[in-house]
Amino acid sequence: MSSIYDFDALRIDGTSVPLRQYEGKVLLIVNTASACGFTPQFTGLQALHERYGPRGLVVLGFPCNQFGHQDPGSNAAIAGFCQRNYGVQFPMMSKIDVNGSDAHPLYRWLTAEAPGVLGTKAIKWNFTKFLVGRDGQVIRRYAPQEAPEKRTVDIEAALAAGSQAVFTSGPARHTRSTKAAASTAPIPASGPAKTSQGSKRATARGSHRAM
């Protein structure tokens, strides 16, 4: 089975990035634009980077000029715009196509793994988002109008990698259970209680205590 770690990308400065370097992280991948009605979502994306980056979230922005020609500038101009207007510190990649014959291989994979409404694969507009789990598999696809800061429940679930991660919105992709997560998941308060040494001794003496 393929994963996001099978792909490479170019940073906005042109340096190559094997996405395997993000193995074990949770990724939020977004096709961005500098002159779109959704461009202010950069604020929410940066806030997610600051809040969850230390816990393992990586936001990756991929500029794209395919929707209304709303990102016509050079990579250098786009980088400057993002830093100057939104203080973007998360990784921005080189401008790509996300649809059509020249679509980046990463986006061909993302859209195949998590189709949109009615099973359509094509990206509909700027700021479509994909949440990728620590195992490199797509969890969710979010529509452009869904604000990044509204996805904190899903992000926290992916970061926690609990024994049963349930995600709240967007087209379903995975509800996962992993051995590693199960080994670290806390025992629910309603679960069976372990018998302590003290209770064993009490039982041996024939004393019984109400629970």
Side-chain angles (χ1 to χ4, degrees):
M1 179 174 58
S2 61
S3 77
I4 199 167
Y5 309 130
D6 297 325
F7 301 95
D8 295 342
L10 292 177
R11 291 190 185 277
I12 206 161
D13 63 4
T15 57
S16 180
V17 181
L19 297 186
R20 185 164 293 278
Q21 78 175 41
Y22 299 119
E23 190 166 0
K25 303 285 188 180
V26 173
L27 305 180
L28 185 65
I29 299 173
V30 190
N31 62 298
T32 65
S34 302
C36 176
F38 296 127
T39 298
Q41 288 189 16
F42 273 120
T43 298
L45 293 170
Q46 176 61 24
L48 292 178
H49 166 75
E50 293 174 4
R51 180 176 178 180
Y52 295 113
R55 293 173 55 186
L57 175 70
V58 178
V59 180
L60 297 178
F62 284 84
C64 180
N65 194 40
Q66 287 189 293
F67 306 102
H69 303 287
Q70 293 181 340
D71 218 0
S74 66
N75 283 324
I78 293 168
F81 170 86
C82 292
Q83 292 170 0
R84 183 172 60 254
N85 292 282
Y86 297 100
V88 167
Q89 297 175 331
F90 57 83
M92 290 292 294
M93 302 300 177
S94 292
K95 186 157 54 175
I96 62 169
D97 282 356
V98 297
N99 288 334
S101 59
D102 293 328
H104 193 286
L106 170 62
Y107 266 82
R108 293 181 186 178
W109 179 77
L110 288 170
T111 54
E113 290 293 296
V117 177
L118 302 178
T120 56
K121 293 183 179 180
I123 301 295
K124 298 299 188 294
W125 199 252
N126 305 308
F127 291 89
T128 297
K129 306 160 194 73
F130 293 87
L131 184 64
V132 178
R134 294 186 186 273
D135 61 357
Q137 300 300 314
V138 180
I139 295 171
R140 288 279 174 183
R141 173 174 173 162
Y142 303 105
Q145 64 269 25
E146 295 190 64
E149 59 270 23
K150 300 297 184 182
R151 304 279 66 87
T152 56
V153 172
D154 289 358
I155 291 169
E156 288 184 1
L159 289 169
S163 59
Q164 190 73 11
V166 179
F167 299 90
T168 59
S169 60
R173 179 68 183 111
H174 292 293
T175 299
R176 293 194 307 274
S177 177
T178 64
K179 291 181 180 178
S183 67
T184 58
I187 299 173
S190 59
K194 292 184 178 179
T195 304
S196 66
Q197 290 299 111
S199 62
K200 286 181 179 178
R201 290 193 294 268
T203 302
R205 292 193 300 269
S207 60
H208 297 277
R209 188 180 302 273
M211 296 299 292

